[in-house]
Amino acid sequence: MTQRSVLVVLFDEVQSLDVTGPVEVFAGAAVQAGDPGAYRIRTASLDGAPVRTSSGLTLVPDAALAGEPAPHTLLVPGGRGTRAPDPRLTDWLRENAPRAERLVSVCTGALLLAGAGLLDGRRATTHWALTDHMARSHPAVEVDPDPIYIRDGNVATSAGVTAGIDLALALVEEDLGRDTALTVARHLVVFLRRPGNQAQFSAQLAAQTARREPLREVQQWITENPGADLSVEALAGRARLSPRHFARAFRSETGTTPGRYVERVRLEHARRLLEDSADGVEEISRTCGYGTPEAMRRAFVKSLGAAPAEYRRRFRPLDAPQGGRRAPAGHS
């Protein structure tokens, strides 16, 4: 089996989960693959000295960056330490990162790569709170604020914190196969790997909670009844407002239109049913309010880049039931 070296860059005020999440995925994958040497993981800081994470933990690196050979995968985590990085770290990345076969950032680690000019001309993402900042500071980077991770050639960037685990699982699937990746996901109680173009927020988190109670009740109704009539007229009736007033108030208070909110809720509900149940695509399309399998297929292709059947094949856990609905399982 091919051994892949993984070098994790450490610096003061790094986000600890940005480091430990992917490291646990790679280490677990090596064990599940039956070859502890499948990934050789090392950590390194500028001078080889211990670093203090943003949460106060101390991490002791294996070595100094200057003495490390070019790795297969160079992983750059994020954290508060990316806001005013040591110029020596930026210089090291600019000179050495291009020698890695695969360059990966987690969360605001993308800011370090962008600062070193390594994302120029590429599509990339980072934590949602800093995508605007990255776009303004690095106009040569095509910043996409929505996906949880993005692959552009041999460079991969991910959104905040736990998205690094999703990206690491995707890389494990690429290296060692889907079965190994899903086994690791189950072991970590991540349950399954999210597709990279899944939005950083669920519909409920992406939209603000309305201030007025009738609008909040409508938001809850949409979430609990995705298969109902969710037209503006029907929703306005529930809120006891005219359709025009309702649409204007909903957008003002939630930051999105009623139609877009409904689209997101239906898509998320359909995804969960594809992942967690044995229901057919036709039944799911009716349950989620799409009406026809073709309408659901168009929504999936537009938002996720995959038809429902392909989505289920790639992201349904290996132990999913072949009939009936799965019992609830824990998520991390």
Side-chain angles (χ1 to χ4, degrees), residues 150-172:
I150 290 174
R151 303 286 299 277
D152 188 332
N154 70 331
V155 178
T157 54
S158 62
V161 192
T162 56
I165 295 176
D166 294 292
L167 175 53
L169 286 167
L171 299 177
V172 166

Side-chain angles (χ1 to χ4, degrees), residues 273-274 277-287 293 296 308 312:
L273 290 177
L274 287 170
S277 80
D279 296 345
V281 171
E282 184 171 356
E283 180 180 353
I284 292 174
S285 68
R286 290 195 303 268
T287 300
M296 189 169 93
R312 169 172 270 172

Side-chain angles (χ1 to χ4, degrees), residues 269-271 273-275 277-298 300 306-313 316:
H269 194 64
R271 281 182 42 248
L273 290 177
L274 287 170
E275 294 163 3
S277 80
D279 296 345
V281 171
E282 184 171 356
E283 180 180 353
I284 292 174
S285 68
R286 290 195 303 268
T287 300
C288 297
Y290 288 109
T292 67
E294 176 58 24
M296 189 169 93
R297 189 193 71 81
R298 288 196 300 268
F300 266 68
E310 173 65 9
Y311 181 92
R312 169 172 270 172
R313 185 189 71 79
R316 187 180 182 189

Side-chain angles (χ1 to χ4, degrees), residues 6 30 237:
V6 178

Side-chain angles (χ1 to χ4, degrees), residues 238-276:
R238 297 194 65 84
R240 298 180 178 84
L241 297 171
S242 71
R244 185 173 181 179
H245 185 191
F246 169 77
R248 184 168 58 247
F250 190 95
R251 181 164 189 170
S252 174
E253 295 199 17
T254 67
T256 189
T257 66
R260 181 61 177 150
Y261 189 81
V262 168
E263 287 176 6
R264 289 177 173 174
V265 168
R266 282 177 167 161
L267 185 70
E268 288 175 11
H269 194 64
R271 281 182 42 248
R272 286 195 297 270
L273 290 177
L274 287 170
E275 294 163 3
D276 299 349

Side-chain angles (χ1 to χ4, degrees), residues 22 25-26 75 102-107 148-151 155-159 161-173 193-194 196:
V25 170
F26 290 125
L75 191 146
R102 192 162 60 189
L103 183 56
V104 176
S105 71
V106 180
C107 196
I148 58 172
Y149 62 82
I150 290 174
R151 303 286 299 277
V155 178
T157 54
S158 62
V161 192
T162 56
I165 295 176
D166 294 292
L167 175 53
L169 286 167
L171 299 177
V172 166
E173 179 175 353
R193 175 169 69 79
R194 294 180 291 173

